[in-house]
Amino acid sequence: MPPSSAIDLVIEPQPRDLGDFTVRRVLPQIARQIVGSFVFFDHMGPVVFPSGGGIDVRPHPHIGLATVTYLFEGEIMHRDSLGTIQAIAAGDVNWMVAGSGIAHSERTRAELRAAGQHLHGIQSWVALPKADEEAPASFVHHPKASLPMHELPGAKLRVIAGTAYGLTSPVAVYSPTLYVDAELQSGARTDLPDDHEERAAYVARGKIKIGEREFCEGQMAVFHPGASVKLEALAPSRVMLLGGAKLDGERHLWWNFVSSSKDRIEQAKRDWRAGRFGQVPGETEFIPLPQH
């Protein structure tokens, strides 16, 4: 298949106001809800918080998914109902499995809030297979140095989760997964791994070319299964390569809940109202259940 015909769909993100700042929501969209097991994909920033500013995402619940926080710049302090307190810095991976239920908060540390900081990164959710939707909640932090990297002329390809380029991330995924942070100098070229059923590339910074088509910051290209895909950077670029095995059936998304069962989501609503997700250490606030 010629490179120009490898593209199945181009997704333009929708802005979402989170209060502290605006994100670009790439998934889900009407045209495409899921790529591999990725059911949610937000591009945060780049944003500059002045002295006194920062993010304050109060405790909120999740079920049926794993969250993947990956930053290019800045730091976020994570706290959850397991008792975890962990800062995530650029290049690290926070892999939080919600499974049967977890609550967490994301905030800017007081020291960084006083100084001000740059924040730029990707927040994504990976739906768990049906057999693992009720897995016990867990949290694992993977520092940047633990993630394997494939290097080519002008390209550094860090495997965040799953497998790519013959390398395997230490992140314990539940299904075949592709998730790579590609740092490309202008003129650098790389192939997209072809051993995953569903694949996409998101331009977080810069400009790339695929076949005869050009893609700028904020655009996601979704590819036909099995297609040969070559990326060329037309400027210094940061590109997220994502996908994996097709999800095993439909998923319902409501607020922060993901499940193959609508009844399970209704139960999660009742559990959050009743305070059954557990307490996040150091937190007294929480985000109420939305009315709609």
Side-chain angles (χ1 to χ4, degrees):
M1 182 179 292
S4 58
S5 60
I7 299 166
D8 177 42
L9 177 68
V10 178
I11 297 175
E12 304 281 351
Q14 300 296 318
R16 291 289 185 272
D17 185 357
L18 300 186
D20 298 315
F21 60 101
T22 299
V23 301
R24 285 172 274 189
R25 182 146 302 161
V26 187
L27 295 174
Q29 298 275 1
I30 293 175
R32 182 82 182 218
Q33 291 187 313
I34 303 170
V35 177
S37 295
F38 287 83
V39 295
F40 180 93
F41 192 96
D42 265 5
H43 184 183
M44 308 179 291
V47 62
V48 179
F49 290 112
S51 176
I55 68 168
D56 284 295
V57 181
R58 293 168 293 161
H60 58 281
H62 292 288
I63 63 164
L65 55 85
T67 66
V68 191
T69 302
Y70 189 79
L71 300 178
F72 307 130
E73 293 182 276
E75 180 195 285
I76 295 174
M77 180 61 74
H78 164 97
R79 291 180 172 85
D80 65 42
S81 51
L82 298 174
T84 309
I85 301 175
Q86 175 66 59
I88 180 170
D92 296 345
V93 170
N94 274 4
W95 177 256
M96 186 184 76
V97 177
S100 59
I102 197 169
H104 75 129
S105 66
E106 296 164 294
R107 296 187 186 269
T108 300
R109 284 193 296 122
E111 298 90 333
L112 291 177
R113 190 182 300 273
Q117 73 158 332
H118 293 244
L119 187 66
H120 188 200
I122 303 293
Q123 177 73 55
S124 55
W125 300 349
V126 177
L128 300 178
K130 290 180 181 178
D132 300 300
E133 284 186 301
E134 296 299 321
S138 63
F139 177 93
V140 181
H141 176 78
H142 297 276
K144 178 179 179 179
S146 70
L147 304 179
M149 187 157 62
H150 178 59
E151 296 196 50
L152 297 169
K156 294 181 179 180
L157 307 160
R158 181 169 286 107
V159 183
I160 300 169
T163 59
Y165 306 107
L167 301 172
T168 300
S169 165
V171 175
V173 296
Y174 284 76
S175 61
T177 300
L178 169 69
Y179 201 24
V180 173
D181 170 17
E183 291 187 73
L184 307 174
Q185 297 177 16
S186 185
R189 296 179 176 86
T190 185
D191 292 329
L192 188 69
D194 59 6
D195 52 351
H196 290 279
E197 184 178 4
E198 297 190 345
R199 299 166 299 160
Y202 177 74
V203 184
R205 179 174 61 84
K207 188 176 185 180
I208 66 170
K209 188 176 183 181
I210 303 170
E212 298 304 314
R213 297 186 65 172
E214 296 181 359
F215 295 86
C216 299
E217 179 179 325
Q219 293 183 304
M220 176 179 282
V222 182
F223 305 104
H224 291 291
S228 175
V229 179
K230 297 182 183 294
L231 284 67
E232 178 184 355
L234 302 179
S237 301
R238 204 76 178 257
V239 184
M240 305 301 283
L241 313 178
L242 63 143
K246 188 174 181 179
L247 199 57
D248 59 346
E250 183 184 7
R251 290 298 185 276
H252 305 287
L253 279 73
W254 190 89
W255 192 36
N256 300 311
F257 304 138
V258 174
S259 179
S260 59
S261 165
K262 290 184 178 180
D263 288 342
R264 181 65 182 90
I265 289 178
E266 292 303 315
Q267 180 63 53
K269 293 179 185 180
R270 293 191 291 271
D271 289 344
W272 184 243
R273 287 195 193 99
R276 290 193 286 261
F277 273 81
Q279 182 67 34
V280 177
E283 295 280 7
T284 57
E285 302 176 300
F286 65 93
I287 299 177
L289 193 77
Q291 297 300 308
H292 302 287

